[in-house]
Amino acid sequence: MSHLFPTYTRFPFEIVKGIGAHLFDEQGNEYLDLTSGIGVCGLGYNVKALNDAVEHQLHQVWHTSNLYESSLQESVAAQLGVHQDMLVSFANSGTEANEAALKLARKATGRLDFLAFDHSFHGRSAGSLTVTGNEGIKEGFLPLVPGARFAKYNDFAAIDEIKPDLAGVILEVVQGEGGVIAGDAKWLKTVQDKCHEVGALLLIDEVQTGMGRTGSLFAFEQFGLDPDIYTVAKGLANGIPVGAMIGKKELGQYFGPGSHGSTFAGNPLAMAAAQQVLKTLNQEFLSTVQQKAVAMHQAMEKELLPMDMVDSISGLGLMIGIHLNQAVSVGQVLAQLHSQHVLALSARDNTLRLLPPLITSQDELLAGVDEIKKALNTVESATATA
Ligand SMILES: Cc1ncc(COP(=O)(O)O)c(C=O)c1O
């Protein structure tokens, strides 16, 4: 009997080791990883520079409270701001970073309400779940926090919902859990303009899209957006739990001493890893991610898009959605991929989701596309003969 609450349906094998973009289970089977956890280990597994950075810190001090100066936090924070003078509040997860963003937006504007979008995902704490556009995962937990309204993502009619009573509008530039749906550039810009017009803050959740996933450090940079607040987590320390809320300097006055905090936030081990991650994600590295992503998208369009069971392919950079129709179920495809020793993910609406480590070589990414083609064919013939 498992002693864990059954909040996850787990696959029947355990990952016990990783090297680069490859993972190994307890029986020694090797897998090509197209998941990075769920978009976490962007730099892959067992990375010497990261191991060294964390090990060095391990022998210095594991934990200090936030009552003392932290040059590590300062260094990571300075690199997370897209403008020189932005401020950072560290957290331990994406959920917590979003929770901080919602609190700060309320306090700074003196307003209560938020506009969020259908099929968004921002976390599972009361506040972050409130602005998550998935009614199913709220079941049994209502009422949550008052003040959230929802509109359709990428819909220009949603702009009219951005009114002067809003503390903020929260969105993902590419909806991840919601099915890897990229925001329309013009729509995103119009949302930002309307926020400015009515004095609502623009909160961008970069928890899944951030840290190089889409080919830039933050996805919003590719859309020319300038959020008041943005949040990151997942890839920030390549798997050591951490989150961060980054906001414009003028918001600092609303998050004074005692207004927010967390015992573990900005933990030295996480900061040592984050510092090394940020050092690695330089322009040259990000350009390579973009090039590999272009090659992979081209291969998918050539090999997968013409297949009967593939409706469309979406995403940005190495955040990819392969939208399957009813001819196959994504669950079956994942199981087939496992038997071919490839790990992938699913998202809403029968979507096969890929979030490969950013360090995966182009050859490995293309091999992944071939494996997916093989898996889709195998599942389709099995379904047809069943
Ligand atoms: C866009 C987005 N926001 C927030 C979260 C929640 O992050 P965490 O699981 O680290 O709390 C996730 C997790 O998948 C996410 O994809």
Side-chain angles (χ1 to χ4, degrees):
M1 174 208 150
S2 169
H3 293 280
L4 303 173
F5 275 106
T7 49
Y8 289 95
T9 311
R10 293 174 191 261
F11 295 114
F13 53 92
E14 182 170 354
I15 302 298
V16 294
K17 196 176 136 189
I19 300 172
H22 294 261
L23 290 168
F24 299 82
D25 70 15
E26 78 281 16
Q27 296 186 349
N29 294 310
E30 180 174 348
Y31 298 84
L32 173 64
D33 177 41
L34 300 178
T35 70
S36 310
I38 304 180
V40 171
C41 302
L43 301 189
Y45 306 95
N46 237 320
V47 188
K48 186 171 182 321
L50 277 168
N51 290 357
D52 289 350
V54 174
E55 198 182 339
H56 171 77
Q57 189 57 42
L58 192 65
H59 295 293
Q60 301 298 311
V61 63
W62 294 19
H63 171 81
T64 60
S65 77
N66 280 312
L67 300 176
Y68 306 99
E69 294 289 348
S70 169
S71 53
L72 263 175
Q73 286 186 12
E74 286 292 347
S75 154
V76 174
Q79 295 175 74
L80 282 174
V82 285
H83 304 303
Q84 280 259 300
D85 52 0
M86 297 195 84
L87 300 174
V88 173
S89 174
F90 285 106
N92 306 289
S93 67
T95 298
E96 282 182 38
N98 285 335
E99 202 68 38
L102 297 169
K103 284 176 69 180
L104 178 58
R106 272 193 170 175
K107 198 165 182 197
T109 59
R111 303 175 185 176
L112 192 71
D113 291 1
F114 290 95
L115 183 72
F117 294 95
D118 294 346
H119 310 308
S120 60
F121 185 78
H122 299 295
R124 292 173 184 270
S125 61
S128 61
L129 188 56
T130 293
V131 290
T132 287
N134 177 343
E135 290 315 303
I137 64 170
K138 296 182 186 176
E139 248 177 63
F141 304 122
L142 299 174
L144 292 167
V145 179
R149 307 202 289 261
F150 287 86
K152 265 197 188 154
Y153 192 73
N154 272 342
D155 180 3
F156 279 87
I159 309 295
D160 296 335
E161 302 301 316
I162 304 173
K163 299 189 173 130
D165 63 336
L166 289 182
V169 174
I170 182 165
L171 58 83
E172 298 149 90
V173 166
V174 184
Q175 289 192 327
E177 307 300 310
V180 196
I181 312 293
D184 172 78
K186 189 156 173 251
W187 180 76
L188 288 167
K189 199 78 193 341
T190 314
V191 168
Q192 175 170 288
D193 291 347
K194 192 67 192 282
C195 282
H196 290 165
E197 190 187 313
V198 303
L201 300 183
L202 177 61
L203 280 50
I204 297 192
D205 178 341
E206 288 271 351
V207 169
Q208 194 162 144
T209 49
M211 307 315 296
R213 174 55 52 195
T214 67
S216 49
L217 191 56
F218 309 112
F220 67 74
E221 294 174 283
Q222 294 181 53
F223 295 82
L225 300 172
D226 184 26
D228 299 290
I229 298 175
Y230 50 100
T231 52
V232 289
K234 289 184 179 289
L236 176 54
N238 210 57
I240 300 200
V242 69
M245 177 199 68
I246 303 104
K248 289 188 172 163
K249 188 175 96 185
E250 52 273 25
L251 297 170
Q253 59 185 302
Y254 304 103
F255 247 24
S259 58
H260 191 70
S262 158
T263 298
F264 292 130
N267 168 272
L269 296 179
M271 290 297 106
Q275 199 176 38
Q276 185 57 39
V277 167
L278 283 157
K279 197 170 158 191
T280 308
L281 296 182
N282 56 27
Q283 207 42 58
E284 192 187 335
F285 181 96
L286 294 170
S287 304
T288 322
V289 173
Q290 288 164 20
Q291 283 157 23
K292 289 187 294 195
V294 168
M296 195 170 177
H297 280 270
Q298 280 169 352
M300 289 187 299
E301 266 158 42
K302 181 159 170 263
E303 302 294 336
L304 307 182
L305 199 52
M307 299 177 86
D308 285 345
M309 49 284 200
V310 176
D311 274 351
S312 59
I313 294 172
S314 66
L316 191 64
L318 288 177
M319 180 169 179
I320 296 160
I322 301 167
H323 302 271
L324 306 174
N325 58 36
Q326 298 314 314
V328 288
S329 94
V330 69
Q332 289 172 297
V333 176
L334 288 180
Q336 175 59 33
L337 282 169
H338 290 169
S339 75
Q340 295 171 211
H341 293 173
V342 176
L343 303 181
L345 295 159
S346 62
R348 190 182 71 88
D349 232 4
N350 215 25
T351 302
L352 181 65
R353 179 169 44 144
L354 311 179
L355 298 168
L358 308 177
I359 47 88
T360 313
S361 72
Q362 186 163 313
D363 285 350
E364 286 171 319
L365 292 171
L366 299 185
V369 174
D370 287 343
E371 291 294 336
I372 291 167
K373 184 175 181 178
K374 186 170 145 196
L376 288 171
N377 278 325
T378 308
V379 172
E380 198 200 25
S381 4
T383 313
T385 52

